[in-house]
Amino acid sequence: MEELGVLGLLDLVGIFVFAVSGALAAVRQRLDVVGMVVLAEITALGGGILRDLVIGAVPPAAFTSLGYVLTPLVASALVFFWHPQVTRLLPAVLFFDAAGLGLFCVTGTLKALDHGLSPLHAVLLGVITAVGGGILRDMMSGQIPSVLYDRQLYALPALLGATMMAFAHWLDLHGGIVTTGSAVLAFLLRLLAMRYGWRTPRPRGVPD
């Protein structure tokens, strides 16, 4: 197991809030505790597992770190016993969810670049890392994946953050400032979209 640094701790925070969103989705669908744990684990780890499988980093990180597996279990227990209170804290959960989105799109892009993918493909894989778990969550709970109608700017912030990271890498710019800046870009755009109700456009003539 790798030593847990600052990025590792932030990664676990992102995993936790994504797991909370998966567990809350299970509550809304009236699933039992097994369904809750499955949705929490899939939401938190699905994007990273897909990324690692694509780039051939096997076994995926989710299967080599105990914290990656235990964190969604903790989130599931929290929601199982106190989901009304967690629901009331939803604005705070969404805040950290936005932070997780920014972090995951950047770390996914970096990991893809480190494995030799082109900048374009690395960006795509960064977005998959950030939104893949949510797609799997929605599909398993019988809903149309929200990323297919990005009405609250979720995929777009991830795309911009991943693009900034890949472009900086292409310019041979590295370091914490570049990584943080790319993550903050996605994070702030997501927050602003929630605050001001920004939406992606629909095809012409299709009503909102």
Side-chain angles (χ1 to χ4, degrees):
M1 185 182 300
E2 296 181 358
E3 184 178 353
L4 191 63
V6 174
L7 283 180
L9 289 173
L10 291 174
D11 211 20
L12 289 180
V13 172
I15 287 173
F16 179 80
V17 294
F18 282 179
V20 168
S21 72
L24 286 175
V27 172
R28 290 193 294 270
Q29 295 296 320
R30 303 180 63 130
L31 303 183
D32 62 13
V33 65
V34 174
M36 177 179 291
V37 170
V38 169
L39 281 190
E41 294 279 357
I42 286 294
T43 306
L45 306 177
I49 292 173
L50 290 173
R51 174 203 62 211
D52 290 349
L53 290 177
V54 168
I55 62 179
V58 292
F63 294 96
T64 60
S65 171
L66 188 61
Y68 277 38
V69 177
L70 293 181
T71 299
L73 291 178
V74 172
S76 298
L78 180 68
V79 174
F80 182 82
F81 290 105
W82 297 289
H83 63 85
Q85 291 85 349
V86 173
T87 301
R88 285 198 293 271
L89 293 174
L90 192 57
V93 172
L94 291 176
F95 177 89
F96 288 107
D97 181 80
L101 179 78
L103 175 68
F104 284 2
C105 73
V106 168
T107 56
T109 302
L110 277 176
K111 192 164 186 178
L113 290 168
D114 289 342
H115 279 75
L117 270 66
S118 71
L120 174 61
H121 293 101
V123 167
L124 293 176
L125 205 51
V127 174
I128 289 173
T129 304
V131 306
I135 293 174
L136 294 174
R137 174 201 63 212
D138 292 344
M139 292 176 63
M140 293 183 69
S141 59
Q143 304 177 64
I144 299 175
S146 57
V147 72
L148 297 183
Y149 53 99
D150 196 17
R151 301 296 286 162
Q152 292 186 346
L153 294 193
Y154 202 79
L156 183 58
L159 176 63
L160 291 180
T163 299
M164 181 176 174
M165 188 71 255
F167 185 65
H169 189 277
W170 181 70
L171 293 176
D172 203 27
L173 298 175
H174 308 282
I177 294 178
V178 173
T179 303
T180 302
S182 301
V184 168
L185 174 65
F187 169 66
L188 289 180
L189 181 58
R190 172 66 178 149
L191 286 185
L192 289 171
M194 290 190 294
R195 172 65 178 83
Y196 295 106
W198 292 346
R199 301 288 187 266
T200 50
R202 288 184 174 176
R204 186 176 180 181
V206 176
D208 288 332

